[in-house]
Amino acid sequence: MKECICSSCANLKGIINESGAILEYECEFGVPDDACLNCEADGCDLACSNYISDEEPSEPNRIYCSKCNKELTQVSKDSGEGQVFCVECYLNINEK
């Protein structure tokens, strides 16, 4: 039996509940969908144009601190918007 393509995709992220446990997974591209949860097929034929193997090393994004312009490495995707700070600048901002 073939394994679901989603189980080895880097886009699949766990959703953490209040106690810190991961109860379900979701993808920003809408896969797996509800049909996947109840799938009893003898193998997965799902194809996804957004598939990225979680075993492939990805090139990290270079971002810069909004205050001191220090180069930082973004190691995970973030859908949020706003300013990015290095640790030193972040701590100095929050001390005031």
Side-chain angles (χ1 to χ4, degrees):
M1 181 160 79
K2 291 192 281 182
E3 187 176 5
C4 177
I5 190 173
C6 297
S7 65
S8 63
C9 182
N11 289 320
L12 195 65
K13 307 293 183 208
I15 299 175
I16 301 172
N17 66 9
E18 292 89 26
S19 64
I22 297 176
L23 299 178
E24 61 182 317
Y25 293 86
E26 73 176 15
C27 174
E28 64 182 291
F29 302 106
V31 179
D33 65 13
D34 294 336
C36 292
L37 299 175
N38 301 317
C39 179
E40 295 179 8
D42 192 25
C44 181
D45 292 324
L46 181 66
C48 180
S49 60
N50 300 302
Y51 176 80
I52 300 171
S53 173
D54 62 358
E55 295 178 6
E56 293 177 15
S58 60
E59 187 66 33
N61 290 334
R62 302 287 179 207
I63 54 177
Y64 298 90
C65 175
S66 297
K67 186 168 183 179
C68 71
N69 209 32
K70 177 181 177 180
E71 183 178 298
L72 306 168
T73 302
Q74 183 178 12
V75 294
S76 64
K77 285 186 172 182
D78 186 1
S79 60
E81 295 179 13
Q83 295 180 315
V84 176
F85 297 99
C86 67
V87 173
E88 293 82 11
C89 290
Y90 179 79
L91 292 174
N92 287 335
I93 291 170
N94 288 321
E95 284 182 352
K96 297 177 182 177

